[in-house]
Amino acid sequence: MALYMTFPVAMFHWFNQPEYFEKWVTDTRRQLYPPENPQHREEIEKCIRNVRERHDQELMKALEEMERKEKN
């Protein structure tokens, strides 16, 4: 009976040490969310701008075609 009570308490005590927990959380967070790289951020923003510009150009072409059809 003592083993059934001691084991969970010991595991709780062992794994809830602040040093262990803080190190584990910090390492896991860095793996999941690495520090942001400014160069990657610029590339992503440039790509977004390019896609938006292409989309805007396609919309303008479609609007111009609709206007031409309406005039005829």
Side-chain angles (χ1 to χ4, degrees):
M1 183 69 177
L3 181 62
Y4 286 117
M5 292 175 63
T6 306
F7 181 74
V9 172
M11 290 296 106
F12 179 80
H13 176 72
W14 176 262
F15 285 108
N16 284 315
Q17 295 296 317
E19 298 85 22
Y20 174 77
F21 184 72
E22 186 175 346
K23 182 181 183 313
W24 179 78
V25 168
T26 305
D27 291 344
T28 303
R29 183 173 178 220
R30 285 194 178 139
Q31 287 176 356
L32 293 176
Y33 306 107
E36 192 172 300
N37 186 344
Q39 183 180 8
H40 290 154
R41 179 82 175 172
E42 276 183 35
E43 290 175 5
I44 291 171
E45 288 176 356
K46 183 179 176 183
C47 183
I48 291 171
R49 268 188 259 117
N50 290 339
V51 169
R52 285 183 180 163
E53 287 174 3
R54 269 191 263 135
H55 184 25
D56 290 345
Q57 289 174 355
E58 290 173 6
L59 286 175
M60 289 300 291
K61 285 180 185 178
L63 286 173
E64 288 173 359
E65 287 179 21
M66 288 177 66
E67 286 178 0
R68 281 189 215 140
K69 289 180 182 178
E70 288 177 0
K71 288 181 182 180
N72 291 331

